[in-house]
C-alpha cells in the first residue's frame, strides 16, 4: 500500500482499478505487469510494429509520387529497423522475462540503442540516434493511441491515472465508467481540474510521480476531498474509504434537499447563484442543483472536441439548447477563450513559447475575425430566445474592449441587412482576469454592462504563477493579499459605476471563501454546478453582518497563510461536515 498526497480538485471518493494513460512526450516509467498479462502485452508490441510498418509504407509510397528522394531514404531506413527481427525479439523478451509493459519495453530498448549510437565516433552512426528516437515515438504513438481509443470505449469502471490530461481528453470521458482521475501534473484551477469538477468525477492532481509508482490494473483509491491517492490499499483502508464515501454521498443527498430553497442569507439578502458550464447539456444539471442561470458558458469547448471549426449553425444550436433550459434567466455566453492550455486540433502542433502570455482568448479572436464574427452572429441570433448576455474574456485594456464591441456592431449591421431578429439591447460585459483590467476597472466600467471576475487567471497573472503547474502550486492562492486587493478594487469600481459584478473563478466554488466574497460586496456567484447546494447551504447559514466582519478582518491581514487558516476556521464553525 502506498499513500500519495496531491491537490484535491474535484470532490468525492473513487475506488477502482487503475487505467494508466502514458504520454509519448514524457519518459515512460518502468511498470510491472502480472504474468497473466504477458501474452497480451507481447501481442501489443507486435501490433504496434505492424501498424508502424503499414503507416511508414504508406508514407513511402506517397513520397514516391512526389519524388522526394531524401524523405524516401529516411522512411526506408526506419522501415529496415522496424523489419529487424532481432530488435523485436529484444523488446518482447524484455516483456516476457522482466514482466514490464509494452510501452516501457519499447522505450527502454530503443533508448538504449540510441544512446549507444550517440557514443559512436563515426558521425554518420551517431546522427542515426535521432532516427531511433523517431521510431520510438512512432511505436509509442501506436501503443498509446490504441489505449486512448480503448478509453473511449470502456466497458468496466476505472480510475484514470496519467502524467497529465488535456481539458479535451477529460471532457471526453464517459462518467459511467471513469470513476476518478489522478494526475502527476496540474493545479487547482487548471482547466482539466475545472472539467473534472463540472463532470462530478473525483480528482486529485499534482501527485508528482504517481505514474511511476503504479501499474495498470492496481486498485487505487482517489480521495477528491482530502487530496489523497492510495495505491493497492489494504482491506482495512478500503473499508474505511467505503465508509467515507457513504458519508459523503449522504451529505450530498442532504444538501440536494435544499435545492428548491432560495440562496438567501439569514438576514434576508438574496444571492444569485449561477452555473459555469462547458457544454450545453450541463445547463440541465445547473437547474437540477438549484442554480439561477448560467454565469459562464466556456464556449471554446465547441472547438476543442472537434477536428474542424464549428459552423454558425452549430454555435447557434448549442446556445439555443442552453437557453431553452433557462428561458427567463440569464445565460452569459463567453466568447471563445482559446490558446494557453486550450488548443484546437489544428493549433495543437504549433505551440507558442509562452502560451499564457501569448495569442490567447480575445487576442486570438481579434486576429481571427471570420471565426469571431461567426460566433457573434450565432449568439445574437440566439439572443431572442431568452436573456442572453455576451462576455469578452481576458480584456487587458480599453482599446481591446472597444474593438470587440465594434466588431459586435458590425455583426449587428450584417443581421439588420439579412433581416434577422436579435436583441438590440443585448448586455455586453467583460471578464476581469488581468491585473491591468482590475487596475483600470473604473475606466472599463463606463463601457461595460457588467463585470465578472475571473479569479483563476487574475491570480496567475498577479502572482506570476502558472495555474496548471504543480511545481509552483503552493504559491498559487486566490486569497493572497495582492489578489484580494485587486478584487476589492474591481468590486468597488463596479458599485460606483452601478454595473453588475459577479465572480466566476473557482473561488466561487470554494466553501471557505464564500463569506469573504459576500463580505466584500459580491451578490452574484457563478460556480461549478455540483457545488451549488453546498455553497447555498453556507449562504443560508450566515448573515451579511458576519460576512462583513470576516472581510474587514481579512483585509487587514498581510499573510496568505493567516488568511487561509482564518477562513477555514470561520467556515468550519458554520458547516463542520465540509472539512
Ligand atoms: C477565470 O480565469 O477565472 C475563469 C473563470 O476563466 P477560465 O477558468 O475559463 O480561464
Ligand atoms: Mg480565465
Amino acid at each position: 500500500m502506498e499513500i500519495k498526497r496531491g491537490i484535491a480538485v474535484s470532490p468525492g471518493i473513487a475506488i477502482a482499478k487503475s487505467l494508466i494513460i502514458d504520454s509519448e512526450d514524457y519518459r515512460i516509467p518502468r511498470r510491472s505487469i502480472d504474468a497473466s498479462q504477458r501474452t497480451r502485452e507481447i501481442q501489443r508490441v507486435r501490433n504496434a510494429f505492424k501498424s508502424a510498418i503499414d503507416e511508414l509504407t504508406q508514407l513511402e509510397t506517397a513520397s514516391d509520387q512526389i519524388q522526394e528522394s531524401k524523405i524516401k531514404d529516411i522512411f526506408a531506413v526506419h522501415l529496415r529497423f522496424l523489419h529487424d527481427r532481432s530488435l523485436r525479439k529484444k523488446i518482447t523478451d524484455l516483456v516476457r522475462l522482466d514482466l514490464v509493459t509494452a510501452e516501457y519495453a519499447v522505450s527502454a530498448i530503443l533508448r538504449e540503442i540510441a544512446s549507444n549510437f550517440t557514443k559512436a565516433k563515426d558521425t554518420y552512426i551517431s546522427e542515426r540516434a535521432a532516427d531511433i528516437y523517431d521510431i520510438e515515438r512512432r511505436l509509442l504513438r501506436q501503443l498509446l493511441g490504441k489505449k486512448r481509443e480503448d478509453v473511449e470505449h470502456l466497458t468496466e469502471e476505472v480510475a484514470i491515472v496519467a502524467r497529465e490530461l488535456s481539458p479535451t481528453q477529460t471532457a471526453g470521458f464517459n462518467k459511467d465508467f471513469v470513476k476518478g482521475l489522478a494526475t502527476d501534473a496540474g493545479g487547482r484551477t487548471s482547466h482539466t481540474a475545472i472539467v473534472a469538477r463540472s463532470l462530478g468525477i473525483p480528482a486529485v492532481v499534482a501527485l508528482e510521480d504517481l505514474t511511476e509508482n503504479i501499474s495498470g490494473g492496481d486498485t487505487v483509491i482517489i480521495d477528491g476531498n482530502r487530496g489523497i491517492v492510495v495505491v493497492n490499499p489494504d482491506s482495512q483502508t478500503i473499508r474505511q474509504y467505503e465508509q467515507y464515501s457513504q458519508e459523503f454521498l449522504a451529505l450530498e443527498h442532504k444538501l440536494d434537499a435544499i435545492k428548491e430553497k432560495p440562496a438567501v442569507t439569514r438576514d434576508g439578502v438574496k444571492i444569485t447563484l449561477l452555473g459555469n458550464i462547458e457544454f450545453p447539456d450541463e445547463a440541465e444539471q445547473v437547474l437540477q442543483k438549484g442554480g439561477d442561470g448560467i454565469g459562464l458558458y466556456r464556449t471554446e469547448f465547441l472547438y476543442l472536441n472537434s477536428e474542424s471549426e464549428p459552423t454558425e449553425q452549430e454555435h447557434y444550436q448549442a446556445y439555443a439548447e442552453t437557453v431553452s433550459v433557462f428561458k427567463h434567466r440569464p445565460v452569459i455566453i463567453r466568447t471563445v477563450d482559446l490558446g494557453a492550455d486550450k488548443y484546437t486540433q489544428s493549433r495543437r502542433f504549433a505551440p507558442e513559447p509562452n502560451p499564457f502570455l501569448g495569442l490567447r482568448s480575445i487576442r486570438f479572436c481579434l486576429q481571427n475575425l471570420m471565426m469571431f464574427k461567426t460566433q457573434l452572429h450565432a449568439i445574437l441570433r440566439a439572443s431572442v430566445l431568452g436573456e442572453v448576455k455576451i462576455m469578452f474574456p481576458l480584456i487587458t485594456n480599453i482599446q481591446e474592449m472597444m474593438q470587440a464591441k465594434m466588431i459586435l456592431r458590425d455583426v449587428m449591421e450584417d443581421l439588420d441587412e439579412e433581416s434577422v431578429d436579435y436583441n438590440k439591447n443585448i448586455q455586453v460585459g467583460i471578464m476581469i482576469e488581468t491585473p491591468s483590467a482590475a487596475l483600470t476597472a473604473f475606466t472599463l466600467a463606463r463601457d461595460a454592462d457588467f463585470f465578472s471576475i475571473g479569479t483563476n487567471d487574475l491570480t496567475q497573472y498577479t502572482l506570476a504563477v502558472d495555474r496548471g503547474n504543480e511545481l509552483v502550486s503552493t504559491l498559487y492562492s486566490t486569497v493572497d493579499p495582492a489578489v484580494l486587493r485587486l478584487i476589492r478594487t474591481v468590486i468597488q469600481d463596479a458599485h460606483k459605476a452601478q454595473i453588475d459584478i459577479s465572480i466566476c473563478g473557482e473561488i466561487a466554488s470554494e466553501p471557505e471563501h464564500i463569506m469573504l466574497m459576500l463580505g466584500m460586496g459580491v451578490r452574484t456567484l457563478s460556480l461549478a454546478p455540483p457545488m451549488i447546494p453546498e455553497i447555498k447551504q453556507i449562504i443560508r447559514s450566515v448573515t451579511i453582518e458576519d460576512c462583513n466582519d470576516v472581510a474587514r478582518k481579512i483585509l487587514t491581514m498581510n499573510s496568505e497563510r493567516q488568511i487561509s487558516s482564518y477562513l477555514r476556521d470561520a467556515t468550519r464553525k458554520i458547516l463542520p461536515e465540509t472539512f
Side-chain angles (χ1 to χ4, degrees), residues 216-268:
D218 281 353
T219 298
V220 67
I221 295 173
I222 296 178
D223 178 350
N225 299 335
R226 299 167 190 80
I228 290 173
V229 168
V230 189
V231 181
N232 289 324
D234 56 30
S235 55
Q236 192 193 343
T237 311
I238 292 185
R239 268 200 306 281
Q240 183 192 6
Y241 268 95
E242 280 169 347
Q243 190 180 338
Y244 282 160
S245 175
Q246 273 168 13
E247 284 165 11
F248 179 74
L249 292 175
L251 172 66
E252 272 204 323
H253 194 65
K254 190 174 127 201
L255 288 171
D256 268 350
I258 71 160
K259 74 168 191 238
E260 305 292 348
K261 297 189 180 152
V264 174
T265 58
R266 274 175 39 224
D267 47 353

Side-chain angles (χ1 to χ4, degrees), residues 9 52 73 284 317 381 389 393-394 408 416 442 480 483 569:
V9 293
D73 286 351
E284 192 57 45
Q317 269 162 0
R381 274 213 295 142
K389 303 182 189 190
L394 207 81
L408 179 67
D416 288 336
F442 60 96
D480 185 283
V483 185
D569 288 347

Side-chain angles (χ1 to χ4, degrees), residues 191 194 296 298 300 334 337 342 360-361 393-394 431-433 454-458 460-461 467 504-505:
H191 282 102
I194 289 171
L296 169 65
R298 293 184 165 100
E300 57 279 5
R334 173 175 82 179
D337 185 11
K342 289 178 290 191
R360 88 169 269 212
S361 209
L394 207 81
M431 291 191 71
I432 303 288
E433 40 188 357
T455 48
N456 306 337
D457 277 315
L458 185 61
Q460 85 165 337
Y461 291 126
R467 63 195 263 189
C504 64

Side-chain angles (χ1 to χ4, degrees), residues 40-146:
R40 199 196 67 177
E41 286 302 286
I42 289 174
Q43 194 51 47
R44 288 183 69 224
V45 173
R46 291 192 179 128
N47 293 346
F49 267 83
K50 183 173 177 322
S51 306
I53 289 171
D54 289 350
E55 195 178 81
L56 270 172
T57 313
Q58 271 180 22
L59 287 170
E60 199 191 24
T61 317
S63 72
D64 243 2
Q65 285 155 7
I66 51 170
Q67 311 223 317
E68 291 272 11
S69 66
K70 273 211 183 102
I71 296 180
K72 196 167 145 43
D73 286 351
I74 295 172
F75 291 151
V77 171
H78 287 199
L79 273 168
R80 260 204 308 282
F81 267 115
L82 287 166
H83 279 298
D84 179 352
R85 280 173 176 276
S86 66
L87 170 66
R88 207 173 315 179
K89 185 166 183 310
K90 260 192 186 158
I91 295 173
T92 49
D93 277 355
L94 191 61
V95 174
R96 195 187 333 271
L97 303 172
D98 284 23
L99 290 176
V100 290
T101 59
E103 288 87 347
Y104 175 75
V106 163
S107 185
I109 297 291
L110 285 168
R111 282 182 180 222
E112 187 187 306
I113 298 172
S115 138
N116 288 339
F117 274 30
T118 318
K119 287 177 206 144
K121 293 222 169 57
D122 181 332
T123 49
Y124 176 80
I125 295 182
S126 65
E127 280 168 8
R128 295 283 69 78
D131 288 313
I132 306 290
Y133 285 122
D134 251 14
I135 294 168
E136 180 210 6
R137 285 175 65 81
R138 189 175 296 279
L139 287 168
L140 287 178
R141 252 197 322 271
Q142 297 297 340
L143 287 165
L144 301 170
K146 179 75 186 59

Side-chain angles (χ1 to χ4, degrees), residues 19 32 139 142 189 221 231-232 317 335 370 386 394 429 450 500 526 546 553 569:
L19 178 76
S32 308
L139 287 168
Q142 297 297 340
T189 64
I221 295 173
V231 181
N232 289 324
Q317 269 162 0
T335 58
M370 283 295 281
L394 207 81
F450 62 91
D500 284 347
S526 190
D546 295 338
K553 283 208 185 73
D569 288 347

